[in-house]
Amino acid sequence: MNPFLSKLLVEIARKRIAAKQKTKQVSKKQIVPLVRTLHVELVHAVKEYVFIIIGVFSAGFGLKGFLLPNRFIDGGATGISLLLENITNLNLSYFLILVNLPFIILASRMFSLKFAIKSIVAISLLAIIVHSVDYPTITDDKLLIAVFGGFFLGLGIGLSMRGGSVIDGTEVLAIYLSRKLAITVGDVLLLINILIFSFGAYILSVEIALYAILTYLAAAKTVDFVVDGVEEYVGVTIISEHHEAIRVMIIEKLQRACTIYSGKGGYGTSGKSYDKDIIYTVVTRLELTKLQTEIDKIDKRAFIIMGIVKDLKGGMIKKKPLK
């Protein structure tokens, strides 16, 4: 760790402990675990915001380098914003914030205030970039505009999701409606986009609406490639000597259930097998970043296996909101 950063974290930890205990006497034994926790939180926060910043610039490039100059539209909240921009000729940056604002308010109630704040930051940054950054117009070929405009927009959405935020709020609405109506997130997104493309065909032209469908498909496939889809779950197997602390963290901080397997380690220091507990839990893609952060706080050497869960039934995974 950088000496300056280490000194800063130690000072922050000392002040936190002193404020909590209401005493100036703080031991090194108390400081070290908190410094380790603060370091993990800082590293993960930096990584998340790097994803968000790169994602926002990528989405801005897709919008201003391909879609906007050629009056193309897309699906989701971005598509609604582009459609309104075409109708009113007002700046797209205003619509990006106004259209997404109700979805972000919904996200603060469904998921967490932190998730909503990060999404507001990401959307506001995208609006600023669209308003102020002059991207070059890459091509006037309609097929290339649809495919690569959708690709860069989808890349931006996917990277922002990897950073724990959204720049297109319709995913939030889709998750909310899927829980209320017992239909899949994909079905909700499909219905929303059918409405958007229908309006696009009526207001602009059928040709632009057809190209918009191609743009949406390119963006959706890119998002799938980056984050494996917003509606998919991840099965996580965790093997650690600190399994009890990790179990408590999953239950109390993530409010998720987990299963404990009794297993045997096949490779020990003496070459003999030994007993150990193995934790298995299922989380959503949006929760995966927080789970990894919390595990790192407890045991950086934990062995973690992750696999996509295509479908599930029962349990408490669909009953608990994202945190």
Side-chain angles (χ1 to χ4, degrees), residues 234 236 283-293 306:
V234 181
V236 185
V283 297
T284 64
R285 271 286 173 185
L286 293 176
E287 293 174 298
L288 191 57
T289 299
K290 183 174 182 180
L291 176 62
Q292 291 173 320
T293 301
M306 292 175 280

Side-chain angles (χ1 to χ4, degrees), residues 99-296:
V99 172
N100 279 291
L101 190 59
F103 302 129
I104 300 306
I105 294 172
L106 180 62
S108 67
R109 297 179 179 180
M110 280 183 61
F111 303 150
S112 69
L113 184 60
K114 180 182 177 182
F115 177 79
I117 291 173
K118 287 172 71 175
S119 297
I120 290 172
V121 170
I123 292 167
S124 300
L125 183 58
L126 177 61
I128 291 170
I129 288 171
V130 169
H131 182 75
S132 59
V133 177
D134 291 325
Y135 288 99
T137 302
I138 304 302
T139 180
D140 57 0
D141 184 282
K142 292 183 178 180
L143 182 60
L144 293 178
I145 292 165
V147 173
F148 285 96
F151 169 77
F152 284 107
L153 186 58
L155 181 63
I157 293 171
L159 288 174
S160 297
M161 289 176 64
R162 287 285 298 272
S165 68
V166 292
I167 56 175
D168 191 304
T170 46
E171 284 89 353
V172 176
L173 178 63
I175 294 173
Y176 175 78
L177 291 177
S178 70
R179 292 175 177 176
K180 294 293 183 180
L181 304 176
I183 58 178
T184 67
V185 175
D187 289 339
V188 177
L189 289 173
L190 180 62
L191 292 172
I192 292 172
N193 287 306
I194 286 174
L195 291 174
I196 295 170
F197 297 143
S198 298
F199 275 107
Y202 178 74
I203 295 170
L204 301 174
S205 71
V206 174
E207 183 185 33
I208 288 178
L210 292 174
Y211 275 115
I213 295 171
L214 187 59
T215 302
Y216 168 72
L217 291 174
K221 288 299 180 183
T222 305
V223 172
D224 288 343
F225 179 78
V226 176
V227 294
D228 290 325
V230 68
E231 70 217 76
E232 289 187 339
Y233 298 95
V234 181
V236 185
T237 301
I238 308 160
I239 302 174
S240 168
E241 294 179 359
H242 304 278
H243 53 82
E244 181 59 24
I246 293 175
R247 182 190 69 82
V248 173
M249 176 273 294
I250 292 171
I251 294 172
E252 294 184 354
K253 288 193 175 182
L254 269 70
Q255 295 187 10
R256 292 299 186 197
C258 61
T259 300
I260 309 298
Y261 295 101
S262 295
K264 280 184 174 291
Y267 183 80
T269 54
S270 60
K272 296 181 180 179
S273 63
Y274 54 98
D275 295 336
K276 61 166 58 179
D277 286 342
I278 301 168
I279 300 172
Y280 181 80
T281 187
V282 178
V283 297
T284 64
R285 271 286 173 185
L286 293 176
E287 293 174 298
L288 191 57
T289 299
K290 183 174 182 180
L291 176 62
Q292 291 173 320
T293 301
E294 296 298 332
I295 291 174
D296 274 358

Side-chain angles (χ1 to χ4, degrees), residues 56-72 78 82 85 91-93 96 125-139 145 148-149 152-153:
V56 165
F57 274 95
S58 174
F61 181 57
L63 289 170
K64 293 199 73 175
F66 293 91
L67 303 181
L68 266 178
N70 299 281
R71 300 180 67 84
F72 269 47
T78 308
L82 286 165
E85 192 269 345
N91 196 288
L92 176 65
S93 57
L96 287 172
L125 183 58
L126 177 61
I128 291 170
I129 288 171
V130 169
H131 182 75
S132 59
V133 177
D134 291 325
Y135 288 99
T137 302
I138 304 302
T139 180
I145 292 165
F148 285 96
F152 284 107
L153 186 58

